Each structure stands twice: as C-alpha cells, then as structure tokens.
Amino acid sequence: MLIELDSADEVAAVRAAVVAAALPSVVDVVPAARTVLVRCSPGTGVATVTSLLADLSVDAATPPAGRTVTVPVTYDGPDLALVASTAGVTVDDVVALHTGAEYTVAFCGFAPGFGYLTGLPDALQQPRLDSPRQSVPAGAVAVAGQFAGVYPRSTPGGWRLLGRTSVVLFDATRSSPALFEPGDRVRFEVAQ
Amino acid sequence: MRSVTVLRTGPQALVQDRGRPGYAHLGVPPSGALDLPALELANRLVGNPPDAAGIEALLGGVTLRADTPCLVAVTGAPTRLRLARCPVSSVDATAEAVDFATAIPLSAGDVLRMGTPSSGLRCYLAVSGGIAVRAELGSRSTDVLSGIGPDPLTAGDVLPLGPPPPRDTQAYRASGGDENRDKPAYRAHGLTLELPVLLGPRDGWFDDAAAQLAAAEWTVSPTGNRIGVWLTGTTLRRTADVTGTELPTEGVVAGAVQVPPAGEPVIFLSDHPTTGGYPVIAVVHHHALPLLAQTRPGTPLRLRPTPHTRQP
C-alpha cells in the first residue's frame, strides 16, 4: 500500500503512527519523499492499516524526535568550488551554511544507510551533476536538490560533493546498523 | 565441525535463506532465495527447518565434497546430478547418477556434482543442518545490490553446517520429484511466459495502462540479475502531462514493474533498491515471482493485468 502525502512532515507523522501501531501483518514501513509504503505479509489485507490511517489526524500528529547525530567533515570535496560559485558565495560561506543547519533524516533509500536529509539551506540546494561519477568514495558528503546526504559505500553518484567523513554510515554487524534512521536529527561540523 | 567444501561453482553460487525483510526503511533490500518454494522443498527433503540456508546456483554447476556424513537435495531448475563415492581420485572419477529433488545421503569424502540445467535458471541445494555461515541482520542471504551477507561462493570455500536435524527424517525423504516437475516453471525456451499483475501504484502516469500492458510484448533480456529482470520490446507511453517530469522517489517492492523514461520496463526481484524515482505501472503477483526468477533470457514475456483489482 502506497500512501501519498503532501510534505515531509506528513510522511514523518504517518510513518511514526504506523510503526507505533506495531501491526503484526506489517513487514516494512518505508518513508520516502512524498509517500509512505506499507508492505504487509503476502495474503494479508491492508484493511487494518487503512482504518488506522482514517483515525489518524495528520495535521496534529508530531513525530517524536529521534537521535541527534553529529558528523565530522573534512571540507575538501571536488565540487566545493562549483557549489560556492553556483550559490554566489565563498567556499567558507558554503562550509558555514552547511554546518549551520540542523537536518532531519526524511527517509532512507538508494543503498543501505543512505539517508535523504532535509533542512539544507536554500543556497546549497543545487542540481545534480550533468554526468554522475562512476565512483564516489565511501563517506562522501553531498548535496542534490533539496537533500543533503552521505554516501555509505563507494557507488556511482551524481550528487555534488562538499567533503568527506570517516564515520561509518552502515555496519550490518552493529545493533543499530544504520547511523541515519528516519526521524533522526543530523548536524555537520568541521573535523578537527 | 560439520562442513562441506565447495570444489567448483557455475556462473554464480550464493548462500541464500528466506532473506532479511523488515529493514527496507534503512535502505536494505529483502534479499533471500529468488525461488523460495524450491529452497523450502530442498530443506524439507533433508529435514531442515524452513529458515535454513542453502545454496542458490545460477545455471547449476556446483560441485561439493561432504566433509562429514550429511544429506543433500537439489531442487529448482532440473539438472543431472552425479555422485562420486569416496575414495575419489578426481572430481570426474566414476560417478553414479543420483536423483534430482531427492534426499541423497553422503558419506565423508563423497563428491556431488551438479550439471547445468537445460530449462530454468537457478538450482537450490540444501544440506542437512543448513549452511551455518555468519548471519547479518538476521539472515545468511547474499545481497548483490548492497553487498550485505557472505561473499559469493568460490572453489575452496569450506561451509560450516549446523547440527544435524533429528534422526526421524523418514517422512521428509519422500521424493519431491513429482511436485517439482509439475511446476510450470520450466517452459521450453520460446513459449511465452505470461505473468499476472496488479495495476498501480503509478498506472495513472500511463495512457490507458491496462490496454498498453495487454498489448505489450517483451523478451527477457540477458542483462538481468537478482536485482531485476530487464525486458526488451514494447515501450510504454506516459500521459502527456507527466512526460518529461520526475517522480519524487518512493518505496518500491519486489515484483514492481518500473518504467524508465525510455519505456522498457524492469521487474524488481529480491535484491531490489528499496526506493526509486521511476513510475511503477504494475506489480507482479507475489506467487508468480519464483516463476519469473526461473525464466531464461530470450523467453517471450507478457504481463496480464488482473481485472478489477487495484494495488492500493
């Protein structure tokens, strides 16, 4: 069942409500940009989920705050100058803007541990690269459109790269394998 | 330690169990055996619980040596099996034919060789006790998209086994051959595979989606894998008002028929990315996915919208 919503806040509220209900037939609750996907066990209906949502007041619901994660970044990305010139500011301004914001993990996708972060300052909301890179290093700190993100693994990627971090975004052997989970708050800081 | 040793593999041999559903919100694919009924049958035949891990062998080709007495069974795409009894001077030493989809007792040192199936794509091998490599996120499945799980198998790998199942396995030893051969999975190359689909969630992005799907004809491309099956043939047309626009990325499921702007669909399988920005016109019925996973490249394929049923 794919639930369509109008904003990231609504996505967060609906996701939190479905997860909190802990319905036994629900296997996955997957938030995304403007939707929440609810996957149920094969053969079970979605009637319970539908009735739960009918009773939920999305406007009034406030998603509970998750953890706050601080990510140290070395700001030496190959697209740092491009981002600065596109925004019409200096490189130091880009760093100040990026580290000055508080981000929220709206949803995860693309790869395990890849969180799409909202809260990116307007000046840093820029298009993807015309041609994606064949390989982006693991830990690359990046922006594209309205989102900020960190690449958990070396993969192809088209986002503009501001810098890099050494924190591990995803480790399947950790009890909380993903550093970024939907609802978490994130801040970036200059690595010492 | 009970174990089997891999002596040879075909094009791809992976440890698979029932996968790791429930982590899609972290970007983790569900993974697991693509033909789960075949793995479940193999596990039953050797007395394993249903969540035991086995080997998924693309186009067969796996040769194993039992290091301890054990039971094995091979199901999925039908293939010849040959057993060389210890002492084995070479992998190709005098070997007896043994039955597909049957529990085969092996003594320490015996070598089982799997042929290449002439129909279907994936063979499943279960060993009594299950393949007991380390689990990640609750599963021993190899996810080829994210790299979670054990590395693909290669010659020389020693695979630990779990403890042997209880000795009263007589009930499980009945040949599953009939059940397996009766499955309509292994059509001769050239017969059209028709898959039932539920329309949506983005069928509205396409001009008269049901009619386009009913008229469309594709063949299975050779470029597919555990992530998805690529189709070549009919290009699906979007409605004018969404042509050239992008869909905000959203959650997708296995079986999703995703349509990039160029119009030839991809049908997601178990190692699919958990979100995507291409519209999904329909979703293949869950029970038809094992059939799709056994369909060889070049097979003609059609999608049949199931009438009056919408994917919500």
Side-chain angles (χ1 to χ4, degrees):
Chain A
M1 168 185 233
L2 191 67
I3 304 161
E4 294 192 75
L5 301 156
D6 292 328
S7 71
D9 285 344
E10 287 188 7
V11 168
V14 168
R15 182 196 73 88
V18 176
V19 169
L23 303 170
S25 61
V26 171
V27 176
D28 282 302
V29 183
V30 187
R34 286 289 179 271
T35 56
V36 175
L37 173 73
V38 180
R39 184 164 81 94
C40 299
S41 323
T44 63
V46 294
T48 317
V49 178
T50 311
S51 63
L52 168 78
L53 292 170
D55 294 339
L56 174 71
S57 170
V58 174
D59 291 335
T62 310
R67 310 168 291 194
T68 298
V69 182
T70 305
V71 178
V73 181
T74 302
Y75 284 93
D76 61 0
D79 302 318
L80 195 53
L82 171 65
V83 170
S85 67
T86 303
V89 301
T90 67
V91 166
D92 285 348
D93 290 336
V94 170
V95 175
L97 284 166
H98 194 249
T99 56
E102 186 185 68
Y103 303 84
T104 302
V105 183
F107 63 98
C108 299
F110 169 69
F114 188 91
Y116 289 77
L117 312 181
T118 53
L120 187 62
D122 286 348
L124 303 185
Q125 296 191 18
Q126 302 184 1
R128 285 170 172 71
L129 300 172
D130 287 343
S131 296
R133 292 184 168 89
Q134 292 276 23
S135 176
V136 166
V141 175
V143 296
Q146 63 179 292
F147 296 112
V150 182
Y151 283 93
R153 274 169 39 111
S154 178
T155 56
W159 292 34
R160 296 187 177 193
L161 304 184
L162 302 180
R164 56 196 163 87
T165 181
S166 59
V167 302
V168 175
L169 275 297
F170 190 86
D171 180 347
T173 62
R174 283 198 302 232
S175 56
S176 286
L179 187 66
F180 295 162
E181 297 202 14
D184 287 346
R185 305 281 193 250
V186 178
R187 300 198 71 100
F188 296 97
E189 63 181 19
V190 176
Q192 298 308 313
Chain B
M1 182 186 76
R2 298 178 73 239
S3 68
V4 293
T5 298
V6 177
L7 298 182
R8 189 187 286 165
T9 72
Q12 182 188 70
L14 306 174
V15 177
Q16 293 293 335
D17 54 21
R18 297 194 296 193
R20 52 181 73 82
Y23 294 98
H25 64 293
L26 303 182
V28 179
S31 202
L34 293 191
D35 185 350
L36 195 53
L39 176 63
E40 288 173 342
L41 172 62
N43 273 329
R44 279 201 304 278
L45 288 170
V46 301
N48 283 343
D51 61 350
I55 298 174
E56 177 180 270
L58 179 66
L59 293 172
V62 168
T63 299
L64 281 188
R65 183 186 64 229
D67 303 322
T68 33
C70 58
L71 281 180
V72 296
V74 179
T75 57
T79 185
R80 285 174 37 166
L81 300 170
R82 301 196 76 81
L83 172 58
R85 298 265 178 213
C86 184
V88 178
S89 55
S90 79
V91 166
D92 299 310
T94 308
E96 63 186 88
V98 289
D99 286 340
F100 180 74
T102 309
I104 305 160
L106 301 184
S107 305
D110 287 353
V111 173
L112 181 73
R113 192 164 82 241
M114 191 191 286
T116 301
S118 55
S119 61
L121 270 187
R122 293 173 166 97
C123 305
Y124 290 84
L125 185 149
V127 189
S128 51
I131 308 291
V133 296
R134 187 172 63 98
E136 292 184 39
L137 292 181
S139 165
R140 299 181 167 97
S141 290
T142 302
D143 170 354
V144 303
L145 179 75
S146 70
I148 296 174
D151 290 337
L153 298 180
T154 188
D157 285 345
V158 177
L159 303 179
L161 304 177
R167 291 189 66 79
D168 57 341
T169 55
Q170 288 302 318
Y172 296 108
R173 289 198 188 193
S175 171
D178 287 341
E179 179 182 333
N180 222 44
R181 279 192 288 273
D182 287 344
K183 279 173 61 173
Y186 314 119
R187 299 162 192 271
H189 191 101
L191 294 183
T192 301
L193 174 65
E194 190 179 81
L195 296 174
V197 300
L198 293 173
L199 284 178
R202 297 299 176 193
D203 51 317
W205 274 54
F206 300 88
D207 279 325
D208 199 348
Q212 284 200 61
L213 289 180
E217 295 175 324
W218 294 286
T219 55
V220 175
S221 161
T223 56
N225 54 24
R226 285 182 47 87
I227 295 166
V229 172
W230 267 250
L231 302 180
T232 56
T234 301
T235 55
L236 297 170
R237 296 178 316 277
R238 296 186 184 187
T239 62
D241 59 338
V242 295
T243 301
T245 66
E246 279 193 13
L247 177 70
T249 197
E250 59 190 18
V252 295
V253 297
V257 181
Q258 201 188 49
V259 187
E264 288 176 314
V266 176
I267 305 179
F268 279 150
L269 296 177
S270 301
D271 288 354
H272 66 87
T274 56
T275 60
Y278 295 137
V280 171
I281 188 172
V283 180
V284 174
H285 282 226
H286 175 85
H287 62 77
L289 290 179
L291 193 58
L292 178 61
Q294 294 285 12
T295 301
R296 293 170 84 108
T299 302
L301 183 148
R302 303 183 69 118
L303 299 178
R304 176 172 52 85
T306 27
H308 311 303
T309 307
R310 280 196 51 86
Q311 183 82 335

